[in-house]
Amino acid sequence: MRGARSAKWVAGAIVVALAATACGGSGDDEGNNKGSGPAGYVSIDVGEPQKPLIPADTNESNGSYVIQALFTQLLDFDAKGEIVYTNAESVTTKDSKTWTVKLKKGWKFHNGEEVTSKSYIDAWNWYANIKNNQQNSFWFQDIKGYDDVHPEKGEPKAKAMSGLKAVDDHTFTIELKYTMPYFIYKLGYTTWAPLPKVFYDDPKAFGQKPVGNGPYTFEKWDHKKLIQVKAWDDYLGPNKAKNKGVQFKNYTTVEAAYKDVVSGNLDMIRQVGPTDLPKYKQDLGDGAIDQPYAAIQTLTPAFYSKTFKDIDPKVLQGLSMAIDRKTITDTVLNKTRTPAQGFTPPGVKGYQNLDTDVFTYNPAKAKQLIQEGGGVPGNKFTIQYNTDGGHKEWVTAVCESIRKATGVDCVGDPKPDFATDLEARDNDQVKGMYRGGWVADYPVNANFMKELYHSTAEANNGHFSNKEIDGLMNKADSAKSLDASVKAFQEVEKKLVEHMPAIPLWYYRINGGHGKNVDNVNVDFHGDLEVWGVTTK
Amino acid sequence: MGRYVARRLLQMIPVFIGSTLIIFCMMYALPGDPVRAMMGDQAYDPTVVAGIKKELGLDQPLLQQYVNYMTGLFQGDFGTQIASQRPIADIIADAFPVTIRLTLFAFTFVTLVGIGLGVVAGLRPDTLRDRGLLTLTLVLVSMPSFVLGFLLQYLFAFQWSVTTPTVTDSTDFSQLMLPAIVLASLSLAYVARLTRTSIAENLRSDYMRTAVAKGLPRRRVIGVHLMRNSLIPVVTFLGIELGNLMTGAIVTEGIFNVRGIGIEIYDALSRREGATVVGIASLMVLIYLAASLIVDLLYAVLDPRIRYA
C-alpha cells in the first residue's frame, strides 16, 4: 500500500500549510473597522505615504495630507492664496532679506512640549543638514549659511545655519543670502514645520509615529490600509478640526474608492477616475466637487534636442496656436481642465490676462507663423510622456490637432512609467518635447516662472536659457516689496510669450466629491481637500 | 520516497539562486532610478539623491549588490524598502496572509466546484447537462476577469446589496467571497473541462468494464477506479494553478481593493523597488517549487504504478 502511505505525507503537508496560514491570519485581527470608522470621524481616500512621516522628507500628495493634519507651520493660505497666520503671530521684514518671526504664545506639541523659536530653528537646521538626506532640504537654500550645512560634496562644515537666530522664546530672525520679497510665501509649505525634542532621540521611530503641533494627533498607521488621526482639543490655530478625527484610507484604484463613496463606506474622494467622470455629478449630487486649483500642464521643448536647438520662438507660437485646447479639454479630458491663457494658473498671486492670441486656436495664423520662423526641422517632432498617468489620450489629441492645422507631423514618445520618463528628462535624452506639469508650492506667480524657466532652475529640464529673462527674474527677486516683485514677474510673464520656454496647455481642476454623511468640504489652492473643516451630519 | 524528497529539495537550491539572480538582473536593467523617481516632477537636490543611494548601497556594482542581498537573506533579512524605509519582511508579512487566504478560498472553490461539475458532466457525455456545462465554461474562459469582476460587483454589491463592493477587512470571509469567485472562475472552467474529458474517456476503458463486471458498487467504481485515474491531469493543472492564482491576482485585487501580494509586487515594480520585487518573487518561486513537489507526490497516491526511489 505505497499509495496510502504517501497520501499521509501529503495530507500532513497540507495540514502544516493550513496551520501556517491560520497563524498568519490571526495576526491582523485588530482594526476591523467597518463602514466609516468611529463616530464623528471622516474618511478620505488618501493612500499610503511613500516615506516615513517627516515634514521635510515628504513632497508627494498622500504624505503631505497626513503631515498637514499633524503639523502646523508658521502660516497657511486661504482658498484665494492669501496668507493666514497659524503658528506665527507675524512675519515681517524691512528689506526682504532679514525676516522677523513672532510666534503665538501657548502653543504646544501633542506631547505637551511648548513650541518655541528653538523648535523651529533646530528643526530647520536638521532638515537642511546633508547628513540627514532630507528630500526637501533645498527649500532652505535661501537662508544664509545653508552651504555650510549642505555642501555639494563632503561633510557639512557647520551644525547650524548662521542665518537663523533666536531672539527670545517666541521671536526669531531669518537672514537670507539675498533679497527675496516672496520668501514669506515659502514658509507656508509643509516642510517648514517645527519638531519636538523627542524627534532627535530617534527620527526613524518618529517617522512611524509622529508628534506634531497640528490640528490632529496621531492615532495609528495600519500600513497600506489606513492612517487614523484624532482631533486635538488643545489646538489654538484658526484651522481647528471641526470633526472628531480623520481616517486616511488606502484604495488600490480610484474606481474602488469611488464605489465606496457612492455606497457610503467612504466620505470623500479626491479624484474621480475617468470611467466614472461622466456620471459622478449625477451620482453624488451636491457632493460633487468641480473646482480649479493652481496647477498647469505644458509641453516643454528640449532646447538641446536636434529638433528644437536654436528654434525661432515663432515656430513654438505657431505650434501653440495649432492646438485646439477648448475641444480637447471638453471632449478628451471630459472638462477636467481649463484651457490655459498664460504661464500662471488662476488662484495664484499675480495671475493676469496676457492679452495675446498665442493660446487661441487659429490654424491659418499657426501655419503662417511656423513658416515665418523657418518651420520645424524635419517637419516632425515627438512629445514624451509616461503611459502610467493617463496622458496618452490627450497627447494623441494634441498631435492630431497640430497635424491637422499645420501639416507638421507629431507623434507621442511613450515611456512605460514615470520613473523612466524622469530619467530621460534628467539625462537630457528627450528627443523633442516632454509633458511638463507643475502644481503650486506657494501661491505666487514667481513659483511658476523662476523655478521652471530660470537658466539655473533645477526643474528646467528643457534647458531654456535666456540672459534677458534671467536678468528680469533676478531683478524681480530683488524688488523692495512683495507687490513690486509680483508686478515684475507679471512683466516677465509677458516677455515669456515672446520666447516660449514652453507651450502652456491647460490648468487643472479637481473633480472629487463627498458622500451624504459629511458637509463643508472645501478645496485649498493646491487642490487638496481641507479635511479639518469637514463636518459630519 | 524520503530520499526522493530530499533530492528534490536539494535541487531547489540552484533553481532558487538562479531565479533570484535573473530577477535581480532584470530589475537592474530596467530604466529609471528608484531614488530619483521618489523626488517626482518638482525640483530636487542631486546631492540628497546620491546620499540616499550610498546609504542603501545602490551605488555599488550589480554583483556586489546581489551578494549583499543574498547574504542578508540568509541571515533572515529581506532588506529595506527604499521609499518607506520599512523592512521588506514586514511588508511581505502584511500582504502574504491576505493573498494566501484569498488563494486558498479560490483554490478550494476551484477544486470542489470544478471537479464536481466535471464529474457530473463527464459521467453523461453529450447530454443536455454536459452541453450546458461546456457552454458555461466557454463563457467563463472567454470573459476577461475584469469584466466578470465589475459585473459581479455591480450585481451583488450595488443591485442586491448582498455584500460590500470592496474588501475593507481581509479577514472577513464573506467579503473575500466575491473576489475569490472571480479569481477562481477562469481555472474553474479549465478544471471542469479537464475533468469532464478525462472522465468521459476513462469511462470507456477496460478496467472500468472489469470493475463493473466484478459487480462492485457504483460508488466504488466511480469514486476509486474512475476518479483516481482521471484526476492525474487535473492535479497537474491544479498544482501549477496554485502559483498562478497567487501571482495572477493583480487585476482582481485591484478591482476589489484587496491588499495582497499582487498589488504589492505591481507597486514595487513601478517604483523600481528591486529588493521588494526579488523578495516576493523568491517566495513565489518557493511556492511553485513546493507545489510541483506535492503534485509529483500526489501522482503516486493516484496511480500506484508510479513509484519514487
Side-chain angles (χ1 to χ4, degrees):
Chain A
M1 286 308 284
R2 262 215 107 93
R5 252 177 64 202
S6 12
K8 264 185 221 154
W9 262 77
V10 174
I14 292 175
V15 168
V16 170
L18 281 173
T21 0
C23 259
S26 58
D28 41 350
D29 272 346
E30 57 166 334
N32 287 0
N33 285 309
K34 285 179 191 132
S36 16
Y41 277 55
V42 297
S43 55
I44 181 166
D45 77 313
V46 170
E48 172 91 351
Q50 258 187 22
K51 304 186 105 191
L53 295 168
I54 297 174
D57 215 14
T58 295
N59 70 353
E60 44 85 42
S61 113
N62 291 337
S64 53
Y65 256 98
V66 185
I67 301 254
Q68 279 175 47
L70 297 174
F71 291 89
T72 296
Q73 315 84 40
L74 296 170
L75 48 90
D76 207 344
F77 310 103
D78 63 12
K80 285 185 199 124
E82 295 294 334
I83 289 174
V84 178
Y85 286 108
T86 43
N87 200 168
E89 179 84 50
S90 67
V91 178
T92 49
T93 183
K94 279 186 188 121
D95 54 2
S96 303
K97 200 173 174 199
T98 306
W99 299 72
T100 309
V101 178
K102 282 209 166 72
L103 296 176
K104 284 181 187 159
K105 284 179 189 148
W107 275 58
K108 290 199 165 70
F109 286 103
H110 300 146
N111 61 2
E113 186 189 326
E114 205 186 348
V115 182
T116 60
S117 310
K118 205 166 161 349
S119 320
Y120 277 93
I121 294 175
D122 289 352
W124 295 356
N125 279 326
W126 193 89
Y127 295 148
N129 197 312
I130 180 66
K131 272 191 178 160
N132 302 320
N133 282 328
Q134 295 295 292
Q135 190 168 334
N136 296 341
S137 54
F138 68 91
W139 273 83
F140 302 92
Q141 66 189 0
D142 308 316
I143 299 173
K144 197 173 159 194
Y146 173 80
D147 301 309
D148 295 334
V149 296
H150 195 113
E152 276 202 26
K153 273 200 183 100
E155 294 286 300
K157 276 173 247 152
K159 273 198 148 175
M161 291 183 275
S162 55
L164 298 176
K165 284 193 189 90
V167 177
D168 58 46
D169 266 1
H170 295 96
T171 317
F172 66 99
T173 57
I174 310 165
E175 192 186 338
L176 304 182
K177 290 192 243 172
Y178 27 67
T179 57
M180 186 180 260
Y182 49 88
F183 176 73
I184 181 170
Y185 271 82
K186 286 198 170 191
L187 294 173
Y189 196 61
T190 45
T191 296
W192 299 85
L195 291 173
K197 286 194 188 92
V198 32
F199 170 83
Y200 306 96
D201 299 340
D202 187 353
K204 221 174 163 181
F206 185 91
Q208 300 295 325
K209 217 180 164 192
V211 177
N213 61 336
Y216 294 92
T217 58
F218 179 84
E219 273 193 323
K220 66 169 175 189
W221 184 355
D222 202 353
H223 280 281
K224 304 250 164 151
K225 284 188 200 126
L226 117 159
I227 294 180
Q228 190 171 308
V229 298
K230 188 179 162 205
W232 191 40
D233 293 335
D234 298 337
Y235 187 69
L236 299 173
N239 51 338
K240 193 174 163 73
K242 297 210 169 81
N243 42 53
K244 292 208 171 108
V246 184
Q247 288 194 319
F248 299 99
K249 285 179 158 182
N250 194 346
Y251 281 88
T252 44
T253 58
V254 277
E255 286 80 15
Y258 179 77
K259 286 188 185 110
D260 266 11
V261 171
V262 174
S263 66
N265 283 332
L266 179 74
D267 293 326
M268 288 171 272
I269 181 169
R270 295 180 292 162
Q271 187 64 44
V272 175
T275 45
D276 298 310
L277 268 178
K279 60 176 168 68
Y280 87 104
K281 284 191 181 158
Q282 217 177 339
D283 284 352
L284 297 175
D286 292 342
I289 297 170
D290 179 9
Q291 275 182 48
Y293 68 95
I296 191 169
Q297 182 90 260
T298 60
L299 290 182
T300 314
F303 290 98
Y304 54 80
S305 66
K306 257 191 213 149
T307 320
F308 293 108
K309 205 170 181 184
D310 304 318
I311 193 92
D312 190 321
K314 273 190 182 163
V315 176
L316 297 173
Q317 286 176 338
L319 289 176
S320 170
M321 293 175 86
I323 301 167
D324 189 355
R325 294 175 178 77
K326 173 99 181 41
T327 311
I328 296 173
T329 49
D330 278 0
T331 57
V332 181
L333 292 167
N334 254 316
K335 297 192 180 165
T336 56
R337 310 273 191 276
T338 324
Q341 311 269 344
F343 293 87
T344 316
V348 159
K349 220 178 174 61
Y351 168 71
Q352 61 182 344
N353 185 351
L354 280 175
D355 193 27
T356 160
D357 60 350
V358 173
F359 309 114
T360 320
Y361 182 59
N362 186 344
K365 203 167 170 205
K367 228 175 185 166
Q368 184 200 338
L369 276 169
I370 292 175
Q371 240 163 33
E372 279 173 30
V376 178
N379 207 34
K380 184 182 175 181
F381 71 97
T382 57
I383 299 175
Q384 178 180 310
Y385 63 97
N386 49 317
T387 48
D388 60 350
H391 301 295
K392 181 171 189 253
E393 289 74 18
W394 68 255
V395 169
T396 315
V398 164
C399 276
E400 188 56 35
S401 177
I402 291 176
R403 201 178 308 131
K404 242 164 85 187
T406 64
V408 174
D409 200 11
C410 159
V411 284
D413 178 12
K415 299 283 170 201
D417 49 29
F418 193 43
T420 322
D421 178 54
L422 283 174
E423 188 168 77
R425 291 195 218 170
D426 285 343
N427 296 345
D428 296 351
Q429 288 163 341
V430 179
K431 290 184 215 107
M433 298 200 192
Y434 66 85
R435 168 200 78 80
W438 193 264
V439 186
D441 296 321
Y442 48 93
V444 184
N445 57 357
N447 187 226
F448 283 84
M449 286 180 262
K450 180 91 192 295
E451 320 272 349
L452 286 170
Y453 309 124
H454 195 282
S455 326
T456 60
E458 291 283 359
N460 181 0
N461 285 125
H463 296 313
F464 172 77
S465 170
N466 182 299
K467 286 225 173 75
E468 189 194 354
I469 289 196
D470 283 358
L472 284 173
M473 287 194 198
N474 293 344
K475 224 174 109 193
D477 264 359
S478 59
K480 281 276 171 322
S481 69
L482 176 64
D483 285 337
S485 161
V486 168
K487 276 219 177 73
F489 268 108
Q490 285 184 323
E491 292 308 309
V492 174
E493 190 177 4
K494 283 177 190 154
K495 270 268 184 259
L496 284 181
V497 181
E498 291 166 27
H499 296 280
M500 296 298 281
I503 299 176
L505 292 175
W506 33 73
Y507 308 129
Y508 279 78
R509 297 180 76 81
I510 167 170
N511 294 90
H514 64 85
K516 294 195 174 67
N517 302 328
V518 295
D519 224 339
N520 293 317
V521 182
N522 294 312
V523 182
D524 70 5
F525 78 95
H526 304 97
D528 286 349
L529 301 178
E530 284 182 341
V531 287
W532 58 268
V534 177
T535 52
T536 50
K537 280 186 193 163
Chain B
M1 167 96 169
R3 187 180 274 234
Y4 173 76
V5 174
R7 205 169 60 219
R8 283 287 298 266
L9 286 174
L10 280 178
Q11 279 171 2
M12 286 183 185
I13 296 172
V15 175
F16 181 76
I17 293 182
S19 51
T20 45
L21 181 63
I22 292 173
I23 303 166
F24 210 88
C25 293
M26 289 200 288
M27 285 308 293
Y28 193 81
L30 279 179
D33 172 351
V35 182
R36 164 64 185 98
M38 214 156 64
M39 307 287 167
D41 236 345
Q42 316 287 86
Y44 74 101
D45 185 341
T47 326
V48 173
V49 172
I52 297 175
K53 286 178 92 166
K54 196 166 168 215
E55 212 171 85
L56 292 165
L58 292 172
D59 54 343
Q60 289 166 337
L62 171 66
L63 267 179
Q64 184 63 45
Q65 283 188 41
Y66 180 71
V67 170
N68 291 350
Y69 179 77
M70 284 315 260
T71 338
L73 203 59
F74 282 121
Q75 291 159 356
D77 177 14
F78 276 86
T80 310
Q81 224 175 17
I82 297 169
S84 64
Q85 289 165 34
R86 290 175 66 209
I88 291 166
D90 281 9
I91 289 162
I92 293 178
D94 276 354
F96 228 73
V98 179
T99 302
I100 291 185
R101 239 171 277 147
L102 183 65
T103 313
L104 276 186
F105 201 158
F107 191 73
T108 319
F109 186 73
V110 169
T111 318
L112 295 182
V113 181
I115 296 182
L117 284 177
V119 170
V120 167
L123 284 177
R124 297 262 158 77
D126 291 323
T127 54
L128 187 66
R129 121 183 135 186
D130 180 38
R131 281 175 212 278
L133 176 94
L134 286 179
T135 320
L136 176 76
T137 50
L138 188 69
V139 172
L140 284 182
V141 168
S142 49
M143 193 182 306
S145 58
F146 69 89
V147 176
L148 188 68
F150 281 127
L151 187 71
L152 290 188
Q153 194 176 42
Y154 175 75
L155 289 177
F156 284 92
F158 289 104
Q159 291 304 104
W160 305 327
S161 306
V162 186
T163 174
T164 48
T166 55
V167 178
T168 44
D169 171 19
S170 64
T171 50
D172 184 348
F173 273 95
S174 66
Q175 293 188 9
L176 278 181
M177 185 120 97
L178 222 45
I181 290 176
V182 173
L183 187 61
S185 67
L186 185 63
S187 9
L188 177 81
Y190 283 124
V191 168
R193 286 184 154 229
L194 262 177
T195 318
R196 181 226 165 236
T197 316
S198 180
I199 293 245
E201 213 163 277
N202 285 335
L203 214 48
R204 293 194 294 269
S205 59
D206 294 345
Y207 67 84
M208 280 299 291
R209 206 175 316 129
T210 314
V212 175
K214 274 202 294 189
L216 290 176
R218 188 176 157 77
R219 177 187 292 259
R220 188 157 171 85
V221 173
I222 294 170
V224 179
H225 292 250
L226 178 60
M227 289 285 274
R228 242 189 172 183
N229 273 289
S230 309
L231 280 184
I232 288 190
V234 181
V235 165
T236 315
F237 177 79
L238 282 175
I240 301 168
E241 203 53 20
L242 184 66
N244 279 348
L245 284 175
M246 293 192 98
T247 44
I250 298 180
V251 175
T252 316
E253 287 187 358
I255 295 173
F256 292 100
N257 194 37
V258 185
R259 275 272 158 214
I261 279 305
I263 295 292
E264 205 61 66
I265 205 164
Y266 176 78
D267 278 357
L269 254 177
S270 61
R271 290 215 312 259
R272 303 286 182 281
E273 292 273 8
T276 314
V277 175
V278 179
I280 296 175
S282 355
L283 278 179
M284 298 316 299
V285 169
L286 284 180
I287 287 174
Y288 268 104
L289 289 173
S292 72
L293 179 62
I294 293 177
V295 166
D296 285 351
L297 294 179
L298 270 178
Y299 285 164
V301 182
L302 294 169
D303 187 345
R305 285 169 299 178
I306 302 172
R307 269 154 220 266
Y308 300 109

